[in-house]
Amino acid sequence: MNKAIIIAKKEFRDNLRNRWIMAASIVFAIFALTISYFGFSPGGTVGFSEIEATIASLTTLAIYLIPLVALLLGHASFAGEEERGSLHILLSLPISRLEIVLGKFFGLSMVLAVSTAGGFGIVGIIITYIRGISGFSAFFSFIFTSILLGMAFLGMALLLSASTSDKSKVIAGCIVLWFIFVMVYDLALLGVLIATGGGIPTSIFNALLFLNPTDVYRLINLLGMEAGREFLGLTGIPVTISRATAALALIAWVAVPVSLAYAVFKRRDY
Amino acid sequence: MVAIQAKGLCKRYGNIVAVDNVDLEVKEGEIFAIVGPNGAGKTTLIKMILGITKPDSGFVELPDPARTGYLPENPLFYDNLTGLETLQFYASIRGIPKERCYEVLSIVGLEGVADRKVGSYSKGMVQRLALAQALLPKPLILVLDEPTSGLDPIAAKEFRSLIKEMREQGSAIIMSSHVLSEVEQLADRVGVLYRGRMVAVGDVPTLVEKRGLSAQLYVRIKNPSPKAVDTAIEYGGISAEIKGDLVSVACPIKRRFEVLRALDDEYGVVDFRVEEPGLEEVFVAYAGGKR
Ligand SMILES: Nc1ncnc2c1ncn2[C@@H]1O[C@H](COP(=O)(O)OP(=O)(O)OP(=O)(O)O)[C@@H](O)[C@H]1O
Ligand SMILES: [Mg+2]
């Protein structure tokens, strides 16, 4: 298994030096700072507000940006390396395909973690400084689940990348994934709600929320927050999911795509 | 001792038969070269030998990856890593000490740019790095897919002496190449791959003879006569002509001396030159048809 660590280290080092990833992280930090400063503030005043409110606004930002960064990080993992021929070298070495997949997944996850913690951490530090340590654990869990959200999309990117040799197809697939999960899915859900006059059973509605990792992520961070409910975007529906269940669902979203990626990669012929 | 063995290898992609029932055997201390037109199946065959691609049928006794070096076709590495970091990455996967990275860097002449990012390397520098990578495990088996593509003439020459040295040390080397002169200099045996089939295997002189390829003889004679053409034909020439004092004869390679002696006896040879058929002629004979 320490060969997986070698792969992970290489991926980490390689991608930290990737200009696109660096740029995305910086944009991330700037957005996070701006939103926290001007964003949701109950009194209508400008400035760094309460931790809950800040998390609520940052969640929306994270849902747009983190999947994008994750897909950017993961899309070239197999198809790109195949094009370059470096994958063929890797496959000729004494290392298993499982080690290759795990190494890539966790190495890239580390990059995500650094980029997320960097982007949001600055806000966290400022808020802790201004508002005291009280909201620290909520903010910590926000950063942690943000990384998990990224890992879910990273797994999907690896799955796409292992499924075809054509990197442009992988890129197209990533864009489609992003559009579906970040843009289309909730709108479609809303459409269904309107069409049925709010008549779908709560259990089905809740189940549908589980099928989108960004919804699961939103639930974890906004449930149990007074201010958060409005941000759920689908007000009026009784959400009966507990945070613990949502957390399990997010973990499943991390584990399943990367496992599928391994299953596909193991059978692929290069 | 046989180092690499494959039997009945087949591989198709959709309707395309990339490799069709190929047998292969490479011994320790032998250089085996695969030649063939673009798309003949060389790369596919090589990838099957390494277990990267699974054959549809047939089997390979897969070489031990720990002591096998592989240089893929048109390799590219990770742009953001330096040459040294790239080698260290492969070395650590193989469990090879770091010092070996410096050794192979100097073997391929990249010490000077070891700390530069590979993204800034020229094509030939990347090719050298790929060779360095293949040499890391002090390979007993070396598999090279177009190893000199992109190398300058000096580097190509250094490559040839390196490969010969490894053969002396007992490594089994299998390579594909489009540079037939290089193959002629290096290879102990050559396999011609054509439309996925191994249409000829052997050393170059044997293949030339098997195919009955003719040598071209140019002889300048002291007493020119149109009859010299008949003499040349009589002593084994396939076709002949004379222009001024120069007789040109195509003849089987084994009979070139007979023809020359007959011409000398009757007309007196002043000067001569022989063009022997080589791998290029073998290649055209076996694989010159349409793809
Ligand atoms: N992954 C693949 N999918 C579909 N067809 C393939 C694939 N790999 C190879 N082929 C086909 O198999 C045949 C053999 O290809 P291969 O790359 O082995 O040829 P080659 O002899 O190495 O050619 P070159 O001299 O151009 O490198 C070609 O017709 C090629 O199009
Ligand atoms: Mg090839």
Side-chain angles (χ1 to χ4, degrees), chain A residues 3 6-11 13-19 81-95 97 104 265-270, chain B residues 11 13 47 50-56 65-66 68 70-82 85 88-90 92-95 117 130 133:
Chain A
K3 286 181 185 165
I6 295 164
I7 302 273
K9 276 188 188 161
K10 180 252 140 200
E11 290 295 332
R13 178 187 260 175
D14 190 2
N15 283 284
L16 266 199
R17 293 181 190 167
N18 182 327
R19 262 175 252 157
E81 273 214 49
E82 182 186 354
E83 229 170 66
R84 304 173 76 77
S86 51
L87 187 63
H88 297 112
I89 296 181
L90 223 45
L91 292 175
S92 78
L93 296 178
I95 182 172
R97 293 197 180 197
K104 279 179 177 285
F265 181 59
K266 196 173 73 172
R267 282 169 185 75
R268 264 303 292 281
D269 211 16
Y270 285 98
Chain B
K11 181 77 188 180
Y13 293 106
K47 287 194 293 190
L50 291 163
I52 297 169
T53 296
K54 294 173 201 79
D56 294 336
T68 301
Y70 169 44
L71 186 159
E73 178 176 40
N74 304 321
L76 286 173
F77 295 95
Y78 311 105
D79 287 349
N80 294 317
L81 299 189
T82 67
E85 286 169 344
Q88 282 172 344
F89 168 58
Y90 292 117
S92 54
I93 290 178
R94 289 181 178 278
K117 284 189 182 167
Q133 172 275 133

Side-chain angles (χ1 to χ4, degrees), chain B residues 14 62 103 107 112 130 156 160-161 169 181 189 201 240 245-246 260 285:
Chain B
L62 285 181
E103 278 175 35
I107 291 175
R160 288 196 299 270
S161 43
Q169 290 162 10
S181 60
R189 283 189 307 137
V201 183
D245 63 347
L246 183 69
L260 189 64

Side-chain angles (χ1 to χ4, degrees), chain B residues 174-190:
Chain B
I174 179 162
M175 61 183 279
S176 82
S177 178
H178 290 301
V179 187
L180 298 181
S181 60
E182 164 184 296
V183 171
E184 259 178 322
Q185 287 179 52
L186 281 178
D188 299 303
R189 283 189 307 137
V190 180

Side-chain angles (χ1 to χ4, degrees), chain B residues 13 16 18 36-45 47 73 145-146 178:
Chain B
Y13 293 106
I16 300 164
N38 295 130
K42 302 180 293 297
T43 298
T44 308
L45 177 59
K47 287 194 293 190
E73 178 176 40
D145 201 348
E146 298 186 30
H178 290 301

Side-chain angles (χ1 to χ4, degrees), chain A:
Chain A
M1 238 349 74
N2 62 9
K3 286 181 185 165
I5 294 170
I6 295 164
I7 302 273
K9 276 188 188 161
K10 180 252 140 200
E11 290 295 332
F12 183 68
R13 178 187 260 175
D14 190 2
N15 283 284
L16 266 199
R17 293 181 190 167
N18 182 327
R19 262 175 252 157
W20 290 104
I21 304 301
M22 281 313 288
S25 308
I26 290 167
V27 168
F28 213 172
I30 292 170
F31 266 122
L33 279 171
T34 318
I35 287 182
S36 328
Y37 190 76
F38 292 109
F40 184 84
S41 45
T45 50
V46 161
F48 286 95
S49 52
E50 282 172 44
I51 199 106
E52 277 201 347
T54 307
I55 289 176
S57 10
L58 287 181
T59 304
T60 308
L61 172 70
I63 285 171
Y64 279 90
L65 272 183
I66 289 182
L68 216 55
V69 175
L71 294 170
L72 188 64
L73 270 174
H75 80 278
S77 284
F78 301 112
E81 273 214 49
E82 182 186 354
E83 229 170 66
R84 304 173 76 77
S86 51
L87 187 63
H88 297 112
I89 296 181
L90 223 45
L91 292 175
S92 78
L93 296 178
I95 182 172
S96 72
R97 293 197 180 197
L98 179 63
E99 289 167 324
I100 294 175
V101 172
L102 288 178
K104 279 179 177 285
F105 184 62
F106 286 106
L108 294 175
S109 295
M110 281 305 294
V111 180
L112 264 176
V114 167
S115 155
T116 308
F120 288 151
I122 299 171
V123 176
I125 290 166
I126 293 175
I127 291 180
T128 309
Y129 182 72
I130 296 174
R131 299 273 158 176
I133 201 78
S134 66
F136 182 77
S137 80
F139 203 81
F140 182 80
S141 102
F142 163 69
I143 288 182
F144 188 67
T145 52
S146 299
I147 295 168
L148 291 182
L149 175 68
M151 290 170 80
F153 278 88
L154 188 60
M156 289 188 256
L158 293 187
L159 174 57
L160 284 178
S161 196
S163 306
T164 170
S165 305
D166 188 345
K167 203 168 100 182
S168 55
K169 275 188 193 156
V170 179
I171 292 173
C174 284
I175 293 172
V176 169
L177 268 187
W178 187 84
F179 254 95
I180 290 177
F181 284 133
V182 177
M183 312 284 286
V184 180
Y185 193 88
D186 286 2
L187 282 180
L189 216 52
L190 205 62
V192 172
L193 273 181
I194 293 167
T196 58
I200 30 173
T202 311
S203 59
I204 291 182
F205 182 75
N206 287 344
L208 287 175
L209 287 180
F210 280 130
L211 292 182
N212 182 346
T214 67
D215 283 330
V216 175
Y217 166 77
R218 212 191 313 253
L219 285 172
I220 299 176
N221 282 293
L222 301 185
L223 274 175
M225 230 185 236
E226 275 311 309
R229 295 239 159 221
E230 289 168 38
F231 279 84
L232 278 172
L234 299 157
T235 42
I237 298 294
V239 174
T240 55
I241 301 165
S242 74
R243 281 188 89 189
T245 321
L248 280 179
L250 190 57
I251 288 168
W253 266 108
V254 172
V256 172
V258 69
S259 307
L260 290 177
Y262 169 62
V264 170
F265 181 59
K266 196 173 73 172
R267 282 169 185 75
R268 264 303 292 281
D269 211 16
Y270 285 98

